[in-house]
Amino acid sequence: MEITLSVIKADTGGFVGHTEVHPEMMTTARDAVDEAVAEGLLIDAHVNRVGDDVALIMTHTRGESDTEIHGLAWEVFQSTTAVAKRLGLYGAGQDLLSDAFSGNLRGLGPGYAEMTLEERPSEPVLVFLADKTEPGAFNYPLVRMFADPFNTAGLVIDPAMHDGYEFEVLDLHQEQAIRLRTPEDYYALLMLVGAPHRFVIRKVFGRKNPIVGAATSTQRLSLAAGRYIGKDDPVMMVRCQSGLPAVGEVLEPFSYPHIVSGWMRGSHFGPLMPTAVEDATPARFDGPPRIVSLGFQLKDGKLIGPRDMLADKSFDRARQIALELADHLRHMGPFEPHRAGLDELEYTTMPELMKRLSDRWRPMEV
Ligand code: F6R
Ligand code: MG
Ligand code: MG
């Protein structure tokens, strides 16, 4: 039986500011998906959060971009928005860019990652939720997991992994996609996805066994809305083991925090700090950006779990390093490279400033 795993998320209001989701919003979302399970639309569902984002983790047999499933998520986010409005929470309904739902969530604001799979005899899946960053934040860990033998021992010593993987990469500026294969396209892949603001890995597939291994959300709210609306705080899911990277190889890239774009006002670079769900409450300068990982075993579409994977003690040092990097970058205040480059600023006073200063510029004497 083919099962689709859909992870759909939105920021529909923060408690307090942009730091967390209010418990009442969580209860509202949980009740709504439980009802959809009881009615048979979903096989199973789990609701969780990272920072101010609610994530619906759902299994079903309706395939990807399905109207009913996306429509359900849209309804859930309308309900959590209503709670946020009633409680006066911050940015109520922030990610819902349209008044009406039309077929699927594309361009409407909520982010989604979906994969359709034939369940293996045992199916370990890790779901990752990130806050205060952008979808390209997953490029680095995905390359490490699926293409870097210094991270993933299986690429060298497991014959089932020796043929490598295929990466589907989107060019968000040109709205085009390409498939690159590792190991032979490794350098080309790095040239593209090393620029995560523009190139984003959407899916990874096996080669020896051509199954889907990973999927990310690739919507960009700022592009969709045409103006700053909030970072699109991405989600990702990765299948593990038996010819795919082991759970420990999938988590290994988070043992040393990489620097991502996002943080305060979506306009600063900072470390992506791995945390337990209960610590995913970005408060210092609205950050630093957070990532949590929920581990499940799928069984006939049922979500057995989750385990809070990054709560593990072995990530304590990564958290410490992230805080040190955060200190270092914060010292730079409004200077690049802590502040994002002018092209990447999500908010900017530049046009207004240039207008205001227009009659004060003089020709440069050389
Ligand atoms: C970043 C984020 C926050 C806000 C910041 C200012 O993704 O959501 O850092 O950008 O708190 O928010 P406003 O402009 O609503 O006061
Ligand atoms: Mg928010
Ligand atoms: Mg958020």
Side-chain angles (χ1 to χ4, degrees):
M1 178 175 65
E2 281 207 329
I3 287 170
T4 300
L5 183 54
S6 299
V7 182
I8 307 186
K9 54 74 49 181
D11 173 351
T12 54
F15 169 62
V16 172
H18 291 278
T19 58
E20 222 205 295
V21 179
H22 193 279
E24 215 179 300
M25 293 169 70
M26 296 297 291
T27 308
T28 299
R30 285 187 176 123
D31 290 349
V33 296
D34 285 352
E35 205 177 302
V37 173
E39 283 168 359
L41 176 60
L42 301 177
I43 303 173
D44 204 359
H46 172 78
V47 178
N48 222 309
R49 62 169 179 82
V50 62
D52 54 6
D53 294 275
V54 181
L56 316 176
I57 300 164
M58 303 175 284
T59 53
H60 54 92
T61 53
R62 304 186 59 90
E64 296 169 33
S65 289
D66 178 73
T67 302
E68 298 276 324
I69 301 298
H70 283 209
L72 166 70
W74 184 255
E75 291 300 319
V76 176
F77 296 138
Q78 297 288 341
S79 317
T80 54
T81 296
V83 175
K85 284 189 172 153
R86 179 162 50 75
L87 299 178
L89 302 180
Y90 197 70
Q94 173 183 295
D95 284 358
L96 307 185
L97 305 180
S98 164
D99 294 332
F101 177 74
S102 50
N104 66 56
L105 289 171
R106 197 179 144 80
L108 295 189
Y112 50 95
E114 300 188 289
M115 59 162 66
T116 302
L117 52 92
E118 194 69 55
E119 221 177 72
R120 297 172 295 166
S122 178
E123 189 68 66
V125 179
L126 299 189
V127 172
F128 291 87
L129 313 175
D131 188 37
K132 305 292 185 275
T133 187
E134 60 181 11
F138 292 136
N139 287 359
Y140 169 86
L142 281 170
V143 169
R144 302 283 317 267
M145 287 170 211
F146 286 94
D148 178 4
F150 286 81
N151 179 92
T152 297
L155 291 169
V156 180
I157 63 182
D158 179 355
M161 299 175 71
H162 215 74
D163 291 0
Y165 295 92
E166 185 171 272
F167 291 74
E168 185 192 19
V169 177
L170 303 189
D171 174 348
L172 296 180
H173 288 189
Q174 300 294 323
E175 298 200 341
Q176 54 186 357
I178 190 169
R179 285 194 179 220
L180 295 171
R181 296 173 162 183
T182 53
E184 61 268 37
D185 292 329
Y186 188 47
Y187 297 156
L189 176 71
L190 288 176
M191 187 62 207
L192 299 183
V193 306
H197 203 62
R198 171 164 173 188
F199 297 100
V200 176
I201 299 170
R202 179 161 65 182
K203 281 196 170 153
V204 184
F205 301 91
R207 291 179 67 181
K208 189 170 186 146
N209 178 12
I211 59 173
V212 61
T216 68
S217 61
T218 52
Q219 301 70 37
R220 292 212 46 203
L221 276 183
S222 46
L223 292 184
R227 65 192 163 87
Y228 180 77
I229 291 287
K231 269 290 164 194
D232 26 354
D233 301 339
V235 293
M236 162 169 84
M237 54 190 122
V238 185
R239 294 167 83 183
C240 311
Q241 310 285 158
S242 309
L244 294 169
V247 166
E249 290 167 336
V250 171
L251 295 172
E252 178 66 3
F254 301 98
S255 64
Y256 202 90
H258 63 294
I259 303 285
V260 298
S261 163
W263 206 343
M264 175 58 80
R265 297 176 189 275
S267 302
H268 292 81
F269 285 93
L272 185 61
M273 185 160 93
T275 67
V277 171
E278 69 167 337
D279 294 325
T281 51
R284 179 181 177 195
F285 197 58
D286 287 1
R290 302 298 153 104
I291 180 143
V292 303
S293 173
L294 304 164
F296 296 95
Q297 292 284 159
L298 287 190
K299 180 62 185 165
D300 302 327
K302 287 275 174 204
L303 293 158
I304 312 301
R307 279 212 56 236
D308 190 347
M309 306 306 289
L310 293 171
D312 188 67
K313 288 241 172 296
S314 58
F315 292 95
D316 283 355
R317 222 173 96 73
R319 292 186 253 284
Q320 203 52 45
I321 295 167
L323 294 177
E324 278 160 26
L325 286 166
D327 281 343
H328 190 93
L329 285 161
R330 283 297 304 125
H331 271 278
M332 297 200 65
F335 281 77
E336 296 178 12
H338 179 35
R339 193 186 73 182
L342 288 179
D343 294 347
E344 296 182 23
L345 284 182
E346 302 281 3
Y347 288 65
T348 179
T349 45
M350 258 313 255
E352 193 210 316
L353 178 71
M354 290 307 268
K355 212 161 119 195
R356 190 147 48 84
L357 299 180
S358 59
D359 57 354
R360 293 169 63 183
W361 292 97
R362 297 287 173 267
M364 195 163 65
E365 283 166 30
V366 279

mmCIF file of all heavy atoms in Angstrom, residues 19-20 48-51 131 273-284 287-292 308 310-313 316 319 323:
data_model
loop_
_atom_site.group_PDB
_atom_site.id
_atom_site.type_symbol
_atom_site.label_atom_id
_atom_site.label_comp_id
_atom_site.label_asym_id
_atom_site.label_seq_id
_atom_site.Cartn_x
_atom_site.Cartn_y
_atom_site.Cartn_z
ATOM 1 N N THR A 19 7.919 33.802 19.762
ATOM 2 C CA THR A 19 8.747 32.777 20.411
ATOM 3 C C THR A 19 8.137 31.384 20.524
ATOM 4 O O THR A 19 8.860 30.403 20.530
ATOM 5 C CB THR A 19 9.163 33.224 21.831
ATOM 6 O OG1 THR A 19 7.983 33.482 22.593
ATOM 7 C CG2 THR A 19 10.028 34.474 21.800
ATOM 8 N N GLU A 20 6.812 31.293 20.642
ATOM 9 C CA GLU A 20 6.227 29.970 20.842
ATOM 10 C C GLU A 20 4.799 29.936 20.341
ATOM 11 O O GLU A 20 4.244 30.975 19.970
ATOM 12 C CB GLU A 20 6.265 29.612 22.340
ATOM 13 C CG GLU A 20 6.674 28.167 22.595
ATOM 14 C CD GLU A 20 6.169 27.600 23.912
ATOM 15 O OE1 GLU A 20 6.596 28.094 24.970
ATOM 16 O OE2 GLU A 20 5.361 26.665 23.860
ATOM 17 N N ASN A 48 2.899 19.063 16.268
ATOM 18 C CA ASN A 48 3.978 19.543 17.124
ATOM 19 C C ASN A 48 4.331 20.973 16.736
ATOM 20 O O ASN A 48 3.644 21.582 15.890
ATOM 21 C CB ASN A 48 5.186 18.606 17.067
ATOM 22 C CG ASN A 48 5.774 18.405 18.454
ATOM 23 O OD1 ASN A 48 6.041 19.375 19.169
ATOM 24 N ND2 ASN A 48 5.962 17.149 18.856
ATOM 25 N N ARG A 49 5.386 21.499 17.308
ATOM 26 C CA ARG A 49 5.707 22.898 17.087
ATOM 27 C C ARG A 49 7.204 23.111 17.154
ATOM 28 O O ARG A 49 7.933 22.311 17.738
ATOM 29 C CB ARG A 49 5.035 23.766 18.151
ATOM 30 C CG ARG A 49 5.531 23.415 19.526
ATOM 31 C CD ARG A 49 5.121 24.380 20.596
ATOM 32 N NE ARG A 49 5.635 23.926 21.863
ATOM 33 C CZ ARG A 49 6.861 24.126 22.290
ATOM 34 N NH1 ARG A 49 7.717 24.812 21.551
ATOM 35 N NH2 ARG A 49 7.267 23.654 23.444
ATOM 36 N N VAL A 50 7.638 24.217 16.553
ATOM 37 C CA VAL A 50 8.993 24.719 16.747
ATOM 38 C C VAL A 50 8.850 26.234 16.755
ATOM 39 O O VAL A 50 8.223 26.807 15.859
ATOM 40 C CB VAL A 50 9.944 24.220 15.638
ATOM 41 C CG1 VAL A 50 9.534 24.706 14.254
ATOM 42 C CG2 VAL A 50 11.392 24.623 15.912
ATOM 43 N N GLY A 51 9.342 26.889 17.793
ATOM 44 C CA GLY A 51 9.140 28.331 17.887
ATOM 45 C C GLY A 51 7.676 28.675 17.738
ATOM 46 O O GLY A 51 6.816 28.085 18.409
ATOM 47 N N ASP A 131 12.805 26.815 12.868
ATOM 48 C CA ASP A 131 12.204 28.147 13.033
ATOM 49 C C ASP A 131 13.272 29.221 12.880
ATOM 50 O O ASP A 131 14.425 29.017 13.241
ATOM 51 C CB ASP A 131 11.543 28.270 14.408
ATOM 52 C CG ASP A 131 10.740 29.572 14.521
ATOM 53 O OD1 ASP A 131 10.122 29.975 13.508
ATOM 54 O OD2 ASP A 131 10.729 30.189 15.600
ATOM 55 N N MET A 273 20.582 26.116 15.813
ATOM 56 C CA MET A 273 20.824 25.408 17.078
ATOM 57 C C MET A 273 19.890 24.206 17.222
ATOM 58 O O MET A 273 18.670 24.360 17.214
ATOM 59 C CB MET A 273 20.626 26.366 18.262
ATOM 60 C CG MET A 273 20.988 25.721 19.573
ATOM 61 S SD MET A 273 21.330 26.936 20.858
ATOM 62 C CE MET A 273 19.755 27.092 21.595
ATOM 63 N N PRO A 274 20.460 22.995 17.354
ATOM 64 C CA PRO A 274 19.614 21.813 17.561
ATOM 65 C C PRO A 274 19.111 21.781 19.000
ATOM 66 O O PRO A 274 19.901 21.981 19.932
ATOM 67 C CB PRO A 274 20.579 20.644 17.295
ATOM 68 C CG PRO A 274 21.945 21.173 17.609
ATOM 69 C CD PRO A 274 21.908 22.663 17.349
ATOM 70 N N THR A 275 17.816 21.543 19.198
ATOM 71 C CA THR A 275 17.278 21.497 20.572
ATOM 72 C C THR A 275 16.179 20.444 20.709
ATOM 73 O O THR A 275 15.660 19.931 19.721
ATOM 74 C CB THR A 275 16.630 22.842 21.002
ATOM 75 O OG1 THR A 275 15.467 23.059 20.214
ATOM 76 C CG2 THR A 275 17.566 24.017 20.878
ATOM 77 N N ALA A 276 15.836 20.186 21.972
ATOM 78 C CA ALA A 276 14.629 19.423 22.277
ATOM 79 C C ALA A 276 13.431 20.309 21.940
ATOM 80 O O ALA A 276 13.557 21.541 21.894
ATOM 81 C CB ALA A 276 14.609 19.091 23.761
ATOM 82 N N VAL A 277 12.266 19.690 21.726
ATOM 83 C CA VAL A 277 11.069 20.473 21.398
ATOM 84 C C VAL A 277 10.803 21.521 22.474
ATOM 85 O O VAL A 277 10.514 22.681 22.180
ATOM 86 C CB VAL A 277 9.833 19.552 21.231
ATOM 87 C CG1 VAL A 277 8.560 20.371 21.113
ATOM 88 C CG2 VAL A 277 10.006 18.649 20.021
ATOM 89 N N GLU A 278 10.945 21.135 23.744
ATOM 90 C CA GLU A 278 10.607 22.104 24.802
ATOM 91 C C GLU A 278 11.579 23.282 24.840
ATOM 92 O O GLU A 278 11.276 24.308 25.438
ATOM 93 C CB GLU A 278 10.483 21.425 26.167
ATOM 94 C CG GLU A 278 11.785 20.923 26.722
ATOM 95 C CD GLU A 278 11.630 20.552 28.200
ATOM 96 O OE1 GLU A 278 10.720 21.072 28.856
ATOM 97 O OE2 GLU A 278 12.442 19.739 28.668
ATOM 98 N N ASP A 279 12.735 23.138 24.216
ATOM 99 C CA ASP A 279 13.686 24.258 24.180
ATOM 100 C C ASP A 279 13.637 25.027 22.857
ATOM 101 O O ASP A 279 14.475 25.907 22.618
ATOM 102 C CB ASP A 279 15.109 23.739 24.409
ATOM 103 C CG ASP A 279 15.266 23.174 25.808
ATOM 104 O OD1 ASP A 279 14.640 23.723 26.743
ATOM 105 O OD2 ASP A 279 15.990 22.179 25.966
ATOM 106 N N ALA A 280 12.674 24.694 22.031
ATOM 107 C CA ALA A 280 12.577 25.379 20.727
ATOM 108 C C ALA A 280 11.731 26.640 20.893
ATOM 109 O O ALA A 280 10.634 26.764 20.346
ATOM 110 C CB ALA A 280 11.984 24.441 19.685
ATOM 111 N N THR A 281 12.246 27.584 21.672
ATOM 112 C CA THR A 281 11.524 28.815 22.008
ATOM 113 C C THR A 281 12.471 29.995 21.776
ATOM 114 O O THR A 281 13.003 30.560 22.731
ATOM 115 C CB THR A 281 11.108 28.781 23.488
ATOM 116 O OG1 THR A 281 12.282 28.468 24.269
ATOM 117 C CG2 THR A 281 10.049 27.738 23.769
ATOM 118 N N PRO A 282 12.728 30.348 20.523
ATOM 119 C CA PRO A 282 13.774 31.323 20.195
ATOM 120 C C PRO A 282 13.516 32.695 20.809
ATOM 121 O O PRO A 282 12.689 33.460 20.324
ATOM 122 C CB PRO A 282 13.753 31.380 18.670
ATOM 123 C CG PRO A 282 12.430 30.842 18.281
ATOM 124 C CD PRO A 282 12.023 29.872 19.332
ATOM 125 N N ALA A 283 14.257 33.014 21.855
ATOM 126 C CA ALA A 283 13.989 34.243 22.603
ATOM 127 C C ALA A 283 15.116 35.262 22.487
ATOM 128 O O ALA A 283 14.861 36.462 22.558
ATOM 129 C CB ALA A 283 13.749 33.896 24.071
ATOM 130 N N ARG A 284 16.366 34.805 22.332
ATOM 131 C CA ARG A 284 17.460 35.768 22.297
ATOM 132 C C ARG A 284 17.561 36.388 20.909
ATOM 133 O O ARG A 284 17.913 35.715 19.935
ATOM 134 C CB ARG A 284 18.794 35.088 22.630
ATOM 135 C CG ARG A 284 19.895 36.108 22.563
ATOM 136 C CD ARG A 284 21.245 35.573 22.840
ATOM 137 N NE ARG A 284 22.174 36.664 22.661
ATOM 138 C CZ ARG A 284 23.465 36.522 22.551
ATOM 139 N NH1 ARG A 284 24.012 35.334 22.617
ATOM 140 N NH2 ARG A 284 24.232 37.563 22.377
ATOM 141 N N GLY A 287 15.984 34.451 18.526
ATOM 142 C CA GLY A 287 16.689 33.280 18.013
ATOM 143 C C GLY A 287 17.521 32.653 19.102
ATOM 144 O O GLY A 287 17.116 32.718 20.261
ATOM 145 N N PRO A 288 18.710 32.124 18.810
ATOM 146 C CA PRO A 288 19.126 31.843 17.444
ATOM 147 C C PRO A 288 18.196 30.813 16.777
ATOM 148 O O PRO A 288 17.448 30.130 17.471
ATOM 149 C CB PRO A 288 20.550 31.289 17.615
ATOM 150 C CG PRO A 288 20.699 30.943 19.046
ATOM 151 C CD PRO A 288 19.688 31.708 19.808
ATOM 152 N N PRO A 289 18.225 30.729 15.445
ATOM 153 C CA PRO A 289 17.365 29.788 14.732
ATOM 154 C C PRO A 289 17.423 28.382 15.355
ATOM 155 O O PRO A 289 18.478 27.965 15.833
ATOM 156 C CB PRO A 289 17.950 29.777 13.307
ATOM 157 C CG PRO A 289 18.580 31.128 13.174
ATOM 158 C CD PRO A 289 19.114 31.472 14.531
ATOM 159 N N ARG A 290 16.289 27.699 15.362
ATOM 160 C CA ARG A 290 16.198 26.382 16.016
ATOM 161 C C ARG A 290 15.856 25.281 15.031
ATOM 162 O O ARG A 290 15.124 25.513 14.067
ATOM 163 C CB ARG A 290 15.085 26.367 17.077
ATOM 164 C CG ARG A 290 15.202 27.382 18.170
ATOM 165 C CD ARG A 290 16.440 27.204 19.007
ATOM 166 N NE ARG A 290 16.807 28.488 19.560
ATOM 167 C CZ ARG A 290 16.594 28.845 20.832
ATOM 168 N NH1 ARG A 290 16.039 28.004 21.663
ATOM 169 N NH2 ARG A 290 16.945 30.045 21.243
ATOM 170 N N ILE A 291 16.314 24.077 15.387
ATOM 171 C CA ILE A 291 15.855 22.890 14.671
ATOM 172 C C ILE A 291 15.541 21.790 15.670
ATOM 173 O O ILE A 291 16.304 21.581 16.616
ATOM 174 C CB ILE A 291 16.864 22.427 13.603
ATOM 175 C CG1 ILE A 291 16.329 21.187 12.894
ATOM 176 C CG2 ILE A 291 18.250 22.142 14.185
ATOM 177 C CD1 ILE A 291 16.635 21.135 11.452
ATOM 178 N N VAL A 292 14.391 21.140 15.462
ATOM 179 C CA VAL A 292 14.045 19.965 16.263
ATOM 180 C C VAL A 292 13.828 18.789 15.312
ATOM 181 O O VAL A 292 13.552 18.978 14.120
ATOM 182 C CB VAL A 292 12.767 20.173 17.122
ATOM 183 C CG1 VAL A 292 12.922 21.373 18.048
ATOM 184 C CG2 VAL A 292 11.533 20.330 16.263
ATOM 185 N N ASP A 308 12.007 12.521 20.662
ATOM 186 C CA ASP A 308 12.574 13.861 20.495
ATOM 187 C C ASP A 308 14.084 13.685 20.267
ATOM 188 O O ASP A 308 14.872 13.640 21.208
ATOM 189 C CB ASP A 308 12.274 14.670 21.769
ATOM 190 C CG ASP A 308 12.593 16.139 21.603
ATOM 191 O OD1 ASP A 308 13.268 16.505 20.623
ATOM 192 O OD2 ASP A 308 12.176 16.927 22.479
ATOM 193 N N LEU A 310 16.773 15.286 18.907
ATOM 194 C CA LEU A 310 17.885 16.208 19.184
ATOM 195 C C LEU A 310 17.959 16.601 20.667
ATOM 196 O O LEU A 310 18.808 17.395 21.063
ATOM 197 C CB LEU A 310 17.797 17.443 18.278
ATOM 198 C CG LEU A 310 18.033 17.138 16.790
ATOM 199 C CD1 LEU A 310 17.718 18.361 15.921
ATOM 200 C CD2 LEU A 310 19.463 16.680 16.526
ATOM 201 N N ALA A 311 17.061 16.017 21.486
ATOM 202 C CA ALA A 311 17.157 16.213 22.937
ATOM 203 C C ALA A 311 18.361 15.444 23.482
ATOM 204 O O ALA A 311 18.813 15.703 24.593
ATOM 205 C CB ALA A 311 15.879 15.720 23.614
ATOM 206 N N ASP A 312 18.854 14.515 22.695
ATOM 207 C CA ASP A 312 19.948 13.651 23.172
ATOM 208 C C ASP A 312 21.142 14.472 23.671
ATOM 209 O O ASP A 312 21.527 15.473 23.062
ATOM 210 C CB ASP A 312 20.386 12.721 22.032
ATOM 211 C CG ASP A 312 21.378 11.685 22.521
ATOM 212 O OD1 ASP A 312 20.964 10.835 23.327
ATOM 213 O OD2 ASP A 312 22.559 11.751 22.134
ATOM 214 N N LYS A 313 21.732 13.988 24.740
ATOM 215 C CA LYS A 313 22.872 14.657 25.372
ATOM 216 C C LYS A 313 24.028 14.905 24.408
ATOM 217 O O LYS A 313 24.810 15.834 24.583
ATOM 218 C CB LYS A 313 23.401 13.788 26.524
ATOM 219 C CG LYS A 313 22.518 13.748 27.744
ATOM 220 C CD LYS A 313 23.280 14.313 28.944
ATOM 221 C CE LYS A 313 22.412 14.481 30.160
ATOM 222 N NZ LYS A 313 21.342 15.458 29.949
ATOM 223 N N ASP A 316 24.562 18.354 23.223
ATOM 224 C CA ASP A 316 24.800 19.455 24.170
ATOM 225 C C ASP A 316 25.940 20.356 23.701
ATOM 226 O O ASP A 316 25.868 21.584 23.810
ATOM 227 C CB ASP A 316 25.136 18.911 25.573
ATOM 228 C CG ASP A 316 23.890 18.422 26.306
ATOM 229 O OD1 ASP A 316 22.785 18.599 25.765
ATOM 230 O OD2 ASP A 316 24.036 17.848 27.404
ATOM 231 N N ARG A 319 24.947 22.655 20.990
ATOM 232 C CA ARG A 319 24.185 23.803 21.515
ATOM 233 C C ARG A 319 25.146 24.851 22.069
ATOM 234 O O ARG A 319 24.977 26.048 21.857
ATOM 235 C CB ARG A 319 23.235 23.331 22.635
ATOM 236 C CG ARG A 319 22.120 22.447 22.134
ATOM 237 C CD ARG A 319 21.123 22.123 23.230
ATOM 238 N NE ARG A 319 21.206 20.758 23.719
ATOM 239 C CZ ARG A 319 20.750 19.684 23.090
ATOM 240 N NH1 ARG A 319 20.167 19.806 21.922
ATOM 241 N NH2 ARG A 319 20.848 18.473 23.617
ATOM 242 N N LEU A 323 25.714 28.718 20.807
ATOM 243 C CA LEU A 323 25.597 29.919 21.647
ATOM 244 C C LEU A 323 26.853 30.783 21.539
ATOM 245 O O LEU A 323 26.766 32.013 21.528
ATOM 246 C CB LEU A 323 25.321 29.521 23.102
ATOM 247 C CG LEU A 323 23.963 28.845 23.324
ATOM 248 C CD1 LEU A 323 23.794 28.405 24.768
ATOM 249 C CD2 LEU A 323 22.820 29.780 22.917
#
